Amino acid sequence: MAITSANQLELLQTAEAVAREKMIDPSLVIEAMEESLARAAKSRYGADLDIRVKIDRKTGRATFTRVRTVVEDDEVENDKAELTVDQAKQHLEDPKVGDTIVDEVPPVDMGRIAAQSAKQVILQKVREAERDRQYEEFKDRAGTIINGVVKREEYGNIIVDIGRGEGVLRRNDKIGRESYRNGDRIRCYIKDVRREARGPQVFLSRTAPEFMAELFKMEVPEIYDGIIEIKAVARDPGSRAKIGVISYDNAIDPVGACVGMRGSRVQAVVNELQGEKIDIIPWNDDAATFLVNALQPAEVTKVVIDEEAERIEVVVPDEQLSLAIGRRGQNVRLASQLTGLDIDILTEEEESKRRQAEFEERTKLFMDTLDLDEFFAQLLVSEGFSSLEEVAYVDMDELLVIDGVDDSTAEELQARARDYLEEQNKKALEKAREIGVEESLIEFEGLTPQMLVALGEDGVKTLEDFATCADWELAGGWTTVDGQRSKDDGLLEPFDVSLEEAQNMVMTARVKLGWVSIDELEAQAAAEAEAAQAEAETEGAGAEG
């Protein structure tokens, strides 16, 4: 195929036709043609030459040029595309490094192989442009609902026609009992849009909690207007869901607004989700109050929150246990997802037995260590004393409020407690030295002899060993894997060392060893505080918007 005046306009017509068909910019098609023609010219004139092609956007005329660049004398690597300053003087009056010399070369006749190669280049470029267009179109629509038409099913995944592209509704993103046929209309949530080697992939979902939130936004004008906000959603897709809502207008009931007149609004969402039952719950900033609401219809007697462990203990009447747990644990599982807390449910009888066991355990501790009779030990436990340290170092006035305890009795109690603790500390210190704990760690402030034994038995025997520990290794913590939270036991957790205390001790050890300086720590703390403040301001601005 020769590039002659007879087919120059055909280039433009072809570019426009392809661009219309693929819905991309015609200039991208012309650029692909220019590249393919340049590649064909290189095969004719030589691969080392820098051949460039420019197609006139009005006439379709293709201009072939050879470009040479002026470089330093010792930097010439390709003498077909580069030349020195002295060589360039034959073409330019005052050449400088970086200047280019452009010579027009005759157009090439494209043989069958060259034409086929040019076609492949054009097709590839058009395909890439089409993929970029699809990605740009859908990337900003992630997090929204889209309507589509089912095209086919592949290995349990549904391929959905979503207009200028295709979306994938994977098997685990379908509501369990749903089935589709070709041509069925379907409404989905755009979960993610990613660039992949095979092109942009639009991943759809009907099981995502955000899908339900978006459906409510479409059905409830107050949510769309920002008067009511959906704070949390938990779903067991196709079966049951809980949604926490809050109203920023005291005159509007958030639950009533979401339910609608005779349940019309919530029913529209239920119908879209194949009959999924929805509990609409008023949001409350107080975690305990919100949890009581979330466990409805079960009644809650008592709530105990462990904020550090992000766990919550709920006590319910004996006859309410099965209702609180729900079928196959569904009710408590959804309430846990909604609040972000692990929930332990006890009946009143179970809690009573546990409290009795703790009472007996502490009574025995005081009887054995302080040489008290059962009645007096029970009296101490009843007043809230749970450890020897509390008895030994509490203000004496707190002992004197106990019936039958005078000054001399209080002094004797504290003396016995301190003597016992000192004896235990002495034995623990001896054991720590026996297992090899070095003086550098023994003398470190903040570690008790019992802590030293626990560290030594785990191989932490020097200050250097201690300084390499992570805070969670000492204080314990929680790890979430595949949505399941598991407990990480800390070496000093039995001694009630908090994560913050563990972090401070480790950093103090590192400063003492000279691994870090106080100035560096202060700078890091300032940077973290600044980042936290910036994040808070960003969230505040987002809430206002």
Side-chain angles (χ1 to χ4, degrees):
M1 181 181 73
I3 306 299
T4 64
S5 58
N7 57 22
Q8 287 174 355
L9 288 176
E10 290 182 9
L11 288 175
L12 296 180
Q13 293 169 354
T14 302
E16 290 176 2
V18 172
R20 276 197 307 271
E21 181 184 349
K22 301 298 184 181
M23 291 177 288
I24 59 177
D25 188 346
S27 64
L28 294 175
V29 182
I30 294 176
E31 288 172 9
M33 291 178 170
E34 290 172 343
E35 184 176 332
S36 64
L37 291 173
R39 184 174 296 187
K42 282 187 178 183
S43 66
R44 168 70 176 79
Y45 292 114
D48 292 337
L49 274 64
D50 184 2
I51 302 292
R52 303 179 189 180
V53 178
K54 185 71 175 175
I55 297 176
D56 190 290
R57 268 45 173 185
K58 293 182 179 179
T59 65
R61 180 176 182 274
T63 304
F64 292 71
T65 56
R66 174 191 180 187
V67 180
R68 288 176 288 176
T69 305
V70 180
V71 298
E72 298 284 359
D73 293 352
D74 56 351
E75 292 183 3
V76 176
E77 296 180 356
N78 179 4
D79 59 3
K80 300 289 180 62
E82 298 171 336
L83 70 170
T84 65
V85 174
D86 289 337
Q87 293 171 337
K89 288 179 179 177
Q90 301 175 16
H91 308 277
L92 302 173
E93 290 184 5
D94 184 21
K96 297 182 178 58
V97 173
D99 288 348
T100 57
I101 299 169
V102 181
D103 301 315
E104 190 169 342
V105 296
V108 297
D109 290 335
M110 297 183 70
R112 182 177 61 83
I113 295 177
Q116 187 66 24
S117 174
K119 180 181 178 182
Q120 291 299 325
V121 172
I122 293 172
L123 288 175
Q124 179 64 26
K125 287 289 183 182
V126 168
R127 197 175 295 118
E128 289 176 1
E130 189 178 13
R131 288 174 175 176
D132 288 341
R133 177 195 58 73
Q134 289 181 4
Y135 178 76
E136 291 299 323
E137 179 176 346
F138 288 107
K139 71 172 185 177
D140 295 329
R141 297 181 67 181
T144 63
I145 289 177
I146 193 168
N147 293 312
V149 177
V150 175
K151 290 184 69 175
R152 62 187 182 278
E153 182 173 350
E154 295 179 353
Y155 308 106
N157 302 326
I158 303 296
I159 308 302
V160 181
D161 183 349
I162 50 176
R164 296 183 178 181
E166 292 182 347
V168 181
L169 180 63
R170 291 180 289 193
R171 190 181 319 175
N172 58 341
D173 285 312
K174 292 192 298 182
I175 295 176
R177 56 177 175 269
E178 287 184 327
S179 62
Y180 298 99
R181 293 178 298 181
N182 291 358
D184 286 352
R185 296 199 63 80
I186 187 173
R187 182 183 288 180
C188 299
Y189 176 79
I190 300 180
K191 189 176 180 181
D192 192 15
V193 181
R194 295 202 295 261
R195 287 186 186 271
E196 293 189 359
R198 54 184 174 174
Q201 295 294 301
V202 181
F203 295 101
L204 308 175
S205 176
R206 285 177 56 80
T207 61
E210 297 86 357
F211 182 44
M212 176 178 287
E214 289 296 314
L215 288 174
F216 268 103
K217 188 182 293 185
M218 294 169 66
E219 296 294 336
V220 184
E222 291 86 351
I223 295 177
Y224 183 83
D225 294 336
I227 300 171
I228 294 174
E229 182 185 357
I230 297 174
K231 299 288 285 186
V233 180
R235 291 183 65 191
D236 190 351
S239 176
R240 192 173 178 184
K242 291 179 183 286
I243 179 169
V245 293
I246 187 172
S247 172
Y248 296 112
D249 185 339
N250 294 333
I252 296 178
D253 172 25
V255 175
C258 292
V259 171
M261 185 71 70
R262 296 181 182 176
S264 59
R265 291 175 175 177
V266 70
Q267 192 59 45
V269 179
V270 169
N271 292 341
E272 177 63 41
L273 300 177
Q274 304 298 316
E276 190 170 316
K277 296 177 182 177
I278 303 173
D279 296 335
I280 303 174
I281 297 158
W283 173 272
N284 196 298
D285 289 327
D286 179 60
T289 304
F290 182 47
L291 180 64
V292 170
N293 295 336
L295 280 172
Q296 292 176 0
E299 298 175 5
V300 176
T301 306
K302 181 180 177 184
V303 174
V304 180
I305 298 178
D306 183 347
E307 293 182 353
E308 185 175 330
E310 294 185 354
R311 294 185 69 83
I312 195 162
E313 194 174 87
V314 176
V315 180
V316 298
D318 295 0
E319 68 278 5
Q320 293 278 314
L321 180 61
S322 59
L323 192 60
I325 294 175
R327 184 182 179 188
R328 297 177 182 174
Q330 186 184 64
N331 194 51
V332 69
R333 184 172 65 252
L334 291 175
S336 177
Q337 292 175 16
L338 202 66
T339 58
L341 296 166
D342 282 346
I343 301 172
D344 291 330
I345 295 186
L346 302 174
T347 63
E348 292 176 338
E349 182 181 355
E350 288 172 335
E351 198 225 1
S352 176
K353 288 180 179 178
R354 192 187 65 178
R355 282 189 307 186
Q356 183 62 31
E358 289 176 354
F359 186 86
E360 291 174 357
E361 183 182 344
R362 290 171 184 172
T363 299
K364 189 173 186 306
L365 170 69
F366 292 143
M367 289 172 63
D368 294 343
T369 57
L370 300 180
D371 192 24
L372 300 176
D373 59 32
E374 185 177 7
F375 175 77
F376 205 98
Q378 289 177 346
L379 205 56
L380 279 177
V381 177
S382 299
E383 290 294 330
F385 290 93
S386 59
S387 67
L388 287 174
E389 285 79 7
E390 290 180 8
V391 177
Y393 303 110
V394 75
D395 190 280
M396 190 175 290
D397 289 342
E398 294 191 31
L399 289 172
L400 293 175
V401 298
I402 302 174
D403 289 340
V405 175
D406 54 19
D407 289 346
S408 61
T409 306
E411 289 174 0
E412 178 62 22
L413 278 174
Q414 290 198 320
R416 289 185 188 183
R418 288 171 182 169
D419 289 344
Y420 183 85
L421 290 172
E422 288 173 6
E423 182 64 24
Q424 293 302 110
N425 288 343
K426 182 179 178 182
K427 290 179 180 179
L429 199 56
E430 290 174 358
K431 184 176 181 180
R433 289 193 170 102
E434 284 175 8
I435 60 179
V437 177
E438 296 185 1
E439 293 299 318
S440 62
L441 191 57
I442 291 174
E443 294 171 0
F444 184 73
E445 188 176 352
L447 296 177
T448 66
Q450 288 79 7
M451 291 180 186
L452 292 169
V453 172
L455 291 169
E457 288 177 341
D458 202 76
V460 180
K461 299 180 179 180
T462 67
L463 190 60
E464 288 81 358
D465 294 339
F466 185 75
T468 59
C469 291
D471 49 12
W472 62 267
E473 290 180 287
L474 299 176
W478 294 84
T479 302
T480 302
V481 180
D482 296 331
Q484 298 294 321
R485 299 179 76 247
S486 58
K487 183 74 177 67
D488 298 318
D489 294 327
L491 295 175
L492 304 182
E493 192 172 355
F495 307 100
D496 292 329
V497 173
S498 69
L499 201 64
E500 185 178 359
E501 289 170 338
Q503 188 177 41
N504 289 337
M505 284 196 289
V506 170
M507 296 312 298
T508 301
R510 292 173 183 175
V511 170
K512 194 170 185 178
L513 289 168
W515 294 359
V516 293
S517 68
I518 294 177
D519 291 341
E520 288 174 339
L521 291 179
E522 290 177 348
Q524 181 182 347
E528 290 175 354
E530 186 176 336
Q533 183 178 357
E535 184 178 351
E537 290 175 355
T538 302
E539 291 178 355
E544 290 175 6

